[in-house]
Amino acid sequence: MGLETIASRDNPRIKEYCKLCTGKQARRKLGKFVLEGSRLCRESLDSGVLVEYAFASGDWIEENSGMIEMLKERSIPIFQISDPLERRIAETSGPQGIYFTCFLMLPLEKEALARKKRILCLYDIQDPGNLGTLIRSADAFGFEAVVLSSGCCDLFSPKVLRSTMGSVFHLPYYIASDMLRFEQEMAAHGMTSAAAVVDHADLQAGYCNLPEIHLLYIGNEGNGLPENFAQACRYRITLPMKGKAESLNAAMAAGILMWEIMK
Amino acid sequence: MGLETIASRDNPRIKEYCKLCTGKQARRKLGKFVLEGSRLCRESLDSGVLVEYAFASGDWIEENSGMIEMLKERSIPIFQISDPLERRIAETSGPQGIYFTCFLMLPLEKEALARKKRILCLYDIQDPGNLGTLIRSADAFGFEAVVLSSGCCDLFSPKVLRSTMGSVFHLPYYIASDMLRFEQEMAAHGMTSAAAVVDHADLQAGYCNLPEIHLLYIGNEGNGLPENFAQACRYRITLPMKGKAESLNAAMAAGILMWEIMK
């Protein structure tokens, strides 16, 4: 194929890749993030993500001529990496063969949010797997955007991106530095909100007809939403349970609420 | 407190603890498993699990006199472990202070299963976090037992136990070495089954009145249920989706199906 081959970890593009892989600060400072694996890389191309570099193993290059064509058409530089180097940069146990450095997608403008019908708003979600699953489920249930409080874990960490299974490229996002002020601004635009709570709910999902809900707020895994925040929302919504489990996993509870709102 | 202190990794009880922590074979051979953290340990005591030994840090012992009393009442030997030793045996990043070696709970008899109203049946679930979340959700939605195919990951691995948040102690379990034969036996007892599928379903959850379903089968994360197995069940059930996500996470899909069956 005549591709330039990289075998050294000291190659500046590889050094940058590794930095972007592990550090939120590096991602923010450089305005880039990384992807690993055919599925995510393919989804990013299909979704118009700006890819800076592609790194691929010899085996992968042989087996994926279609995607190599696509990269060349878009003038994305492709570097072949040696197998030992791949094992050093791969995050997952079975090396995936293909790695991208991409430019961060820009967040949505706040004004554009006010025209959406269903938005998932996440308040200080800590676990990357939960964050990814939440975004994947929002995508499956027809939600149109995701809002993250600045206390959430980083949307562009490799673990989050993997857990979204590519849904991160379907939903625009917005980062709210002050969630309460964000809610007040959305309410001023006539948008209706519901806070997911365990106790003292106005709405029992699945057991009453739900009013129109534009914004669904989900709280932190351990603590839920702050009490004053939940009170500031138009509604408080809960899932009635039957067994002895004290509560559902945050991603599960949110998934069922989105399902009920979608139906 | 006058407790015997352990500081060495070569202590036979600690060596056994570490072996049980990492190995499914060791758990099976010795008929024991281990627990870490106040919440899980407390739940196990409340649920009648047979605890062989407790290991606790000095700080934990000082702060948990109530639970120390409870252990003494049940004649469970307590060993104080040194801080460096605790850091070596802890699985989670923030050491939890308390560790149990327990005897495995016995599985339910098959005959007892046939008297249950709602059973979650898991076919080759591979991810420990998914398995734990599934059991936690089954508990929350009033399911009464969980059946695992022999291809599922080990119910008693520390990661699964943590993800159940103690629900593993509320639901009896059964291991089915041949899931198809198991389904045929349950059907012969008059029990109705539904297989979770992506395509070609008879039942659209959330959009039709569901018949009575005693057994809900959930397939492997990547492959779902084998086609011939799904055909052998009384019904095939699915969740209609709206967005671009190809499918939901297995635990999420199962949670929503359990929710719809419970309602």
Side-chain angles (χ1 to χ4, degrees):
Chain A
M1 301 284 300
L3 298 176
E4 184 180 331
T5 299
I6 305 177
S8 162
R9 280 192 86 189
D10 294 330
N11 176 288
R13 294 191 182 91
I14 292 294
K15 273 171 96 167
E16 186 188 72
Y17 180 96
C18 294
K19 221 187 266 179
L20 293 169
C21 201
T22 50
K24 177 177 174 171
Q25 294 314 321
R27 289 190 286 270
R28 192 156 297 180
K29 195 172 145 208
L30 299 169
K32 301 180 191 175
F33 68 104
V34 296
L35 292 174
E36 173 173 339
S38 290
R39 179 173 178 157
L40 275 181
C41 289
R42 181 57 181 260
E43 284 268 7
S44 74
L45 289 175
D46 291 346
S47 307
V49 172
L50 274 179
V51 180
E52 188 180 26
Y53 302 116
F55 307 98
S57 69
D59 286 350
W60 191 92
I61 290 168
E62 268 184 33
E63 291 159 18
N64 291 274
S65 53
M67 209 158 135
I68 292 283
E69 268 323 298
M70 197 187 286
L71 292 168
K72 287 186 170 171
E73 273 167 28
R74 300 192 190 193
S75 309
I76 297 166
I78 313 164
F79 300 92
Q80 182 170 338
I81 52 176
S82 67
D83 291 349
L85 181 61
E86 174 173 24
R87 283 194 293 276
R88 298 203 76 157
I89 71 169
E91 272 253 310
T92 52
S93 51
Q96 306 272 318
I98 179 76
Y99 307 82
F100 281 1
T101 299
C102 308
F103 292 102
L104 284 177
M105 294 100 77
L106 292 179
L108 206 62
E109 303 279 321
K110 207 189 292 172
E111 292 65 42
L113 277 176
R115 291 192 293 275
K116 302 281 183 196
K117 283 213 183 64
R118 290 200 196 97
I119 302 173
L120 178 66
C121 305
L122 304 174
Y123 200 122
D124 293 4
I125 293 288
Q126 290 300 301
D127 179 77
N130 276 343
L131 183 58
T133 302
L134 282 161
I135 291 171
R136 184 177 172 191
S137 305
D139 187 25
F141 295 142
F143 277 60
E144 298 163 314
V146 59
V147 173
L148 310 173
S149 71
S150 41
C152 280
C153 59
D154 186 21
L155 181 57
F156 293 99
S157 83
K159 177 86 197 290
V160 172
L161 296 171
R162 269 200 305 281
S163 305
T164 71
M165 297 287 272
S167 286
V168 66
F169 305 125
H170 307 157
L171 291 188
Y173 74 97
Y174 177 81
I175 309 281
S177 56
D178 180 337
M179 208 62 147
L180 189 56
R181 207 171 66 190
F182 171 81
E183 159 58 17
Q184 287 160 348
E185 287 171 358
M186 291 294 120
H189 277 96
M191 295 182 78
T192 309
S193 61
V197 296
V198 174
D199 300 310
H200 308 300
D202 316 305
L203 305 174
Q204 308 277 324
Y207 295 86
C208 67
N209 284 323
L210 295 181
E212 186 152 53
I213 293 171
H214 301 102
L215 300 145
L216 173 64
Y217 289 95
I218 303 293
N220 169 271
E221 290 91 340
N223 310 317
L225 289 166
E227 173 72 21
N228 67 330
F229 182 84
Q231 289 305 325
C233 291
R234 176 70 184 79
Y235 301 106
R236 281 137 298 284
I237 189 169
T238 198
L239 292 174
M241 279 179 275
K242 282 202 176 161
K244 281 182 278 187
E246 271 179 48
S247 69
L248 288 167
N249 164 296
M252 179 64 72
I256 295 178
L257 289 173
M258 288 189 272
W259 161 258
E260 286 292 338
I261 289 171
M262 172 197 76
K263 273 202 305 181
Chain B
M1 303 282 300
L3 299 177
E4 185 181 331
T5 299
I6 306 178
S8 162
R9 279 192 88 192
D10 294 328
N11 176 288
R13 293 189 183 93
I14 292 294
K15 273 170 95 168
E16 186 188 73
Y17 181 96
C18 295
K19 223 186 266 179
L20 293 169
C21 201
T22 49
K24 177 178 175 172
Q25 294 316 320
R27 289 190 285 271
R28 192 157 297 180
K29 196 172 144 207
L30 299 169
K32 301 180 192 175
F33 68 105
V34 296
L35 291 174
E36 174 173 338
S38 289
R39 178 172 179 159
L40 276 182
C41 288
R42 182 55 181 261
E43 284 268 6
S44 73
L45 289 176
D46 291 346
S47 307
V49 173
L50 274 178
V51 180
E52 188 181 26
Y53 303 116
F55 307 99
S57 68
D59 286 351
W60 190 91
I61 290 168
E62 268 184 32
E63 290 159 19
N64 292 274
S65 53
M67 209 158 136
I68 292 283
E69 268 322 298
M70 198 187 288
L71 292 168
K72 287 186 171 172
E73 273 167 28
R74 301 192 189 192
S75 309
I76 297 166
I78 313 163
F79 300 91
Q80 182 170 338
I81 52 175
S82 68
D83 291 350
L85 181 61
E86 175 173 25
R87 282 194 295 276
R88 299 204 74 158
I89 71 168
E91 272 253 311
T92 53
S93 51
Q96 305 272 318
I98 178 76
Y99 307 82
F100 282 1
T101 299
C102 309
F103 292 102
L104 285 177
M105 293 102 77
L106 292 180
L108 206 60
E109 303 279 321
K110 206 191 292 172
E111 293 63 43
L113 279 177
R115 291 191 293 273
K116 302 281 182 195
K117 284 214 184 63
R118 287 198 199 99
I119 303 174
L120 178 66
C121 305
L122 304 173
Y123 200 123
D124 293 3
I125 293 289
Q126 290 300 302
D127 180 77
N130 276 344
L131 183 59
T133 303
L134 282 161
I135 290 172
R136 183 176 172 192
S137 306
D139 187 24
F141 294 141
F143 275 59
E144 298 163 315
V146 59
V147 173
L148 311 172
S149 72
S150 41
C152 280
C153 60
D154 186 20
L155 181 58
F156 294 100
S157 82
K159 177 87 197 289
V160 172
L161 296 170
R162 269 201 304 280
S163 305
T164 72
M165 298 286 272
S167 286
V168 66
F169 304 124
H170 306 156
L171 291 189
Y173 74 98
Y174 177 80
I175 309 282
S177 57
D178 180 337
M179 208 64 147
L180 189 57
R181 208 172 67 189
F182 171 81
E183 159 58 17
Q184 288 160 346
E185 288 171 358
M186 291 294 119
H189 277 98
M191 296 182 77
T192 309
S193 60
V197 295
V198 174
D199 299 311
H200 308 300
D202 317 303
L203 305 174
Q204 308 277 325
Y207 294 86
C208 68
N209 284 323
L210 294 181
E212 185 151 54
I213 293 171
H214 302 102
L215 300 145
L216 174 64
Y217 288 94
I218 304 294
N220 169 269
E221 291 91 341
N223 310 315
L225 289 167
E227 173 71 20
N228 67 329
F229 183 84
Q231 289 306 325
C233 291
R234 177 68 184 82
Y235 301 106
R236 280 137 300 282
I237 189 169
T238 199
L239 292 174
M241 279 178 275
K242 283 204 176 158
K244 280 181 279 187
E246 272 179 47
S247 69
L248 289 166
N249 165 295
M252 179 64 73
I256 295 177
L257 288 173
M258 287 190 273
W259 161 258
E260 286 292 336
I261 290 171
M262 173 198 77
K263 275 201 303 181

